[in-house]
Amino acid sequence: MRDAVFCLLGLLRCREHIQPILEVLPEPRREALNREFEQVAGLSRDQAVERLNGLSAAADRELRERMLGRWGGGFASEPRVIQKWLAARAAGMPR
């Protein structure tokens, strides 16, 4: 998911600069990101935004599932940054 977000943001913010950025990365990362960028390069701005929104929604769902599994529903009213921190803590804690 990180690679897709990186490439979509690059496509939306600095399309003309993404290839020079990718060229300075070490080979394993460059290859993976080039493959990902090839998949999104043809998207229109609206399509890229829609896909980015979908990835964000999927990350939110994953976060909520992790939180529900660890602490139940008591976190829902907390700000998103606190939810992310709690989810990271939950991921590192034994159940």
Side-chain angles (χ1 to χ4, degrees):
M1 183 182 309
R2 259 187 215 169
D3 290 353
V5 170
F6 176 84
C7 290
L8 287 165
L9 287 173
L11 184 67
L12 291 168
R13 296 289 184 176
C14 57
R15 179 188 294 257
E16 63 279 356
H17 300 292
I18 194 76
Q19 285 304 326
I21 291 169
L22 294 177
E23 288 173 13
V24 300
L25 296 174
E27 185 52 45
R29 292 298 301 137
R30 182 181 337 145
E31 184 179 328
L33 286 168
N34 271 325
R35 277 194 309 271
E36 187 68 41
F37 189 71
E38 287 172 7
Q39 292 179 6
V40 300
L43 296 177
S44 70
R45 178 171 174 64
D46 289 342
Q47 290 171 319
V49 168
E50 184 177 325
R51 186 162 304 174
L52 199 54
N53 287 338
L55 290 172
S56 179
D60 283 347
R61 280 190 303 275
E62 182 182 326
L63 173 70
R64 291 194 182 282
E65 288 171 11
R66 242 190 288 162
M67 297 297 295
L68 283 170
R70 180 68 179 153
W71 285 293
F75 65 89
S77 62
E78 298 299 328
R80 189 165 186 248
V81 68
I82 299 298
Q83 291 181 23
K84 288 179 117 180
W85 180 81
L86 289 170
R89 300 293 301 158
M93 297 176 146
R95 291 187 177 228

